[in-house]
Amino acid sequence: MSERRACRVVGQPRCVQRYEARPREDEDAITSRIVELASVYGRYGTPRITALLRAEGHRVNHKRVERIWRRERLKVPRKQPKRGRLWLNDGSCVRLRAERPDHVWSYDFVHDRTHDGRPFRMLTLIDEHTRECLAIDVARNLRSDDVLERLSWLMATRGVPDHIRSDNGAEFTASTVRTWLHQVGVRTLYIEPGSPWENGYIESFNGKLRDELLNREVFYTLQEAKVLVERWRIEYNTVRPHSALGYRPPAPESIAVGPPSAPLQAAQLRLVQDRGLK
């Protein structure tokens, strides 16, 4: 059967039958880069991959990325196996929305285990307005003194926030923590017991931390956990596109550090004196 008759039978124009796709000059480069990003960031979908490509200077839209994504049969798996790295041995329950940077901080604890089954804890702290992760402390045990030490360092280098939100854990409600925060001038916001949704920003961050790192890594030592967690934190702040920020990272550039305020200096001095340190 001739081409003319075959196209008439199937209802296809002859120009479509004879069309030959002309790939763009950067098609191979874009494809290889998408595959590379998908392998590095296993939990990222096409929106964040598109944002990363645009941040690198590629002129692509989401439709082209989705087309290549489907053609290469890429997908975000529901569950991923952990991989090992053997090469590295005032009591308010009213929801206060952050209006500016350093207006409301949130902190919480995350638990995980090293490969030998021993547990360790992580103190996560974020700025609710910028979504920036201010710190992630990793240790076998974290107590109220460790919380105070981290807060003291952050407030000395970044400034004092107006409020700080947390649950009712013993490390956050300890009298020493509450007294020190009062001396510094920080108002505490404690959520209702059994209501984690009232601390949604930090809970969402903890979920990303577990989904993108903890569920994908095998930590053989505590030092390895510290290194990988800190590397992920820096990548989260400077590289990872955040959907709530228009697919921009929370802190793409370093933030200037100002001198500590006078109330904070006085509170730090009292804390040092209480500990008997010089």
Side-chain angles (χ1 to χ4, degrees):
M1 185 180 296
S2 65
E3 178 186 287
R4 186 188 305 272
R5 181 172 299 179
C7 289
R8 185 184 304 117
V9 171
V10 299
Q12 175 177 278
R14 294 175 64 195
C15 60
V16 175
Q17 177 65 28
R18 297 181 177 182
Y19 175 77
E20 294 183 2
R22 291 176 293 178
R24 300 184 183 182
E25 296 180 356
D26 61 345
E27 185 74 9
D28 293 338
I30 293 294
T31 301
S32 61
R33 186 55 181 159
I34 290 176
V35 174
E36 182 180 358
L37 290 174
S39 61
V40 174
Y41 305 105
R43 303 300 300 172
Y44 288 9
T46 54
R48 286 194 172 86
I49 296 297
T50 304
L52 289 175
L53 290 173
R54 290 175 177 173
E56 294 176 357
H58 299 287
R59 300 183 61 183
V60 295
N61 58 19
H62 67 93
K63 293 184 290 184
R64 185 182 181 188
V65 175
E66 291 172 358
R67 174 177 58 80
I68 298 175
W69 188 275
R70 290 192 298 267
R71 186 186 67 200
E72 298 298 323
R73 297 186 177 183
L74 301 173
K75 64 178 181 178
V76 179
R78 293 185 178 181
K79 294 182 65 177
Q80 287 184 309
K82 289 189 175 184
R83 59 184 178 185
R85 297 177 181 265
L86 297 177
W87 50 267
L88 231 173
N89 254 324
D90 71 0
S92 172
C93 65
V94 179
R95 179 60 179 268
L96 176 66
R97 184 175 295 275
E99 300 176 354
R100 59 187 180 278
D102 296 325
H103 183 206
V104 181
W105 290 1
S106 296
Y107 56 177
D108 197 8
F109 282 108
V110 179
H111 302 261
D112 203 15
R113 293 179 179 272
T114 50
H115 184 63
D116 56 5
R118 298 177 60 192
F120 65 88
R121 306 181 76 190
M122 289 165 283
L123 173 65
T124 58
L125 198 149
I126 66 169
D127 187 319
E128 289 192 0
H129 184 268
T130 63
R131 309 299 203 277
E132 180 185 2
C133 177
L134 307 180
I136 304 179
D137 286 356
V138 181
R140 293 294 181 186
N141 294 300
L142 290 170
R143 298 178 294 273
S144 57
D145 289 345
D146 301 308
V147 174
L148 281 180
E149 183 177 355
R150 171 53 64 183
L151 290 178
S152 176
W153 185 86
L154 283 175
M155 293 181 190
T157 55
R158 294 182 55 93
V160 180
D162 295 340
H163 303 81
I164 189 163
R165 196 192 316 270
S166 69
D167 56 25
N168 294 271
E171 299 84 358
F172 304 138
T173 59
S175 58
T176 55
V177 176
R178 297 170 66 99
T179 302
W180 188 84
L181 290 175
H182 177 72
Q183 293 172 352
V184 173
V186 180
R187 302 175 65 179
T188 55
L189 301 173
Y190 294 109
I191 66 174
E192 285 291 312
S195 304
W197 53 87
E198 293 184 4
N199 203 7
Y201 289 106
I202 192 67
E203 293 292 342
S204 175
F205 172 81
N206 292 341
K208 295 180 178 67
L209 171 63
R210 186 166 298 280
D211 182 52
E212 298 177 7
L213 178 69
L214 302 182
N215 289 345
R216 302 182 61 206
E217 299 284 354
V218 177
F219 304 116
Y220 290 96
T221 64
L222 184 64
Q223 183 62 29
E224 183 180 9
K226 292 181 178 180
V227 172
L228 294 180
V229 168
E230 179 62 18
R231 190 180 70 176
W232 182 87
R233 185 189 74 87
I234 295 174
E235 183 179 277
Y236 176 89
N237 287 336
T238 59
V239 177
R240 183 187 188 277
H242 202 296
S243 58
L245 303 177
Y247 288 98
R248 296 190 303 271
E253 298 178 359
S254 60
I255 300 176
V257 176
S261 60
L264 176 60
Q265 290 177 334
Q268 287 176 330
L269 181 59
R270 295 191 193 97
L271 178 61
V272 171
Q273 291 174 348
D274 293 340
R275 294 187 179 183
L277 302 176
K278 296 182 180 181

